[in-house]
Amino acid sequence: MRVLLLLLVSLFLLQPAQAKQTTPYSAQDNQLIEQGDYTNSDGQQIHRPAHTKSGRAPEGASAKCRDGSYSFSTHHRGTCSGHHGVAQWLD
């Protein structure tokens, strides 16, 4: 009985983390090659830099990185780090 109770409590505690991982992305994601997000310094979930299938800037992008991906960063500091820096600001 204790094992079952412990299992149920564990599942209840882990559920919020699993829900966060399966959060659906916006409709624009079908035009983005890379998926995923990160938590910025304000605690907001932001889409990771991604390349587009069309090569055009996606809605909500703030910068084009030097590797051709688009950033959705809300702050200039650190934008496109790991993507060779910012090639062009879009905002």
Side-chain angles (χ1 to χ4, degrees), residues 17-86:
Q18 291 173 345
K20 184 176 178 182
Q21 292 173 356
T22 59
T23 301
Y25 292 108
S26 66
Q28 77 174 5
D29 283 351
N30 62 4
Q31 67 176 303
L32 300 176
I33 296 172
E34 296 89 2
Q35 301 298 318
D37 58 359
Y38 67 95
T39 304
N40 73 2
S41 60
D42 295 329
Q44 299 171 321
Q45 292 297 113
I46 305 294
H47 201 293
R48 293 191 178 284
H51 293 86
T52 59
K53 294 175 184 175
S54 68
R56 292 185 302 230
E59 184 178 328
S62 58
K64 183 172 184 177
C65 303
R66 288 187 180 151
D67 69 354
S69 62
Y70 289 91
S71 173
F72 300 87
S73 177
T74 57
H75 301 288
H76 283 198
R77 185 174 186 172
T79 299
C80 295
S81 61
H83 295 269
H84 310 292
V86 174

